[in-house]
Amino acid sequence: YNGTPLEQMTWRTIETAPKDGTEILAWCHDRAVVTFWGEDMLKDDDTSAWILSYDGADPLWHNQPTHWMPLPEAPNALKG
């Protein structure tokens, strides 16, 4: 995402989130999670859904994200 740091750290409605596999920070019910939109990712199903990034398998069925923002840049020491 290109924008100022303040613009990057602003919550936006989930309808505007990228659906191209980009990981985002999403607000789900009462917490923030890292997620991405998965197309046809579920076994034996062609359903698409927001998928938790930590394991790449758990769809967010019960707590659908309502807002999102881009992930922040990695700290300078961790950049490859």
Side-chain angles (χ1 to χ4, degrees):
Y1 173 80
N2 294 324
T4 67
L6 182 58
E7 289 171 335
Q8 291 178 10
M9 298 308 292
T10 301
W11 288 109
R12 302 147 196 201
T13 61
I14 197 64
E15 293 80 17
T16 64
K19 291 188 174 180
D20 60 1
T22 301
E23 288 186 315
I24 60 170
L25 184 63
W27 188 258
C28 296
H29 183 62
D30 62 351
R31 69 191 71 191
V33 297
V34 177
T35 186
F36 64 94
W37 183 256
E39 293 283 340
D40 304 329
M41 300 244 339
L42 306 176
K43 296 177 184 173
D44 303 321
D45 197 344
D46 62 356
T47 301
S48 300
W50 291 105
I51 308 292
L52 288 174
S53 289
Y54 72 88
D55 68 3
D58 286 340
L60 297 170
W61 294 128
H62 302 292
N63 291 319
Q64 287 291 304
T66 59
H67 293 79
W68 77 282
M69 68 174 68
L71 291 175
E73 291 282 325
N76 287 334
L78 298 178
K79 287 185 179 179

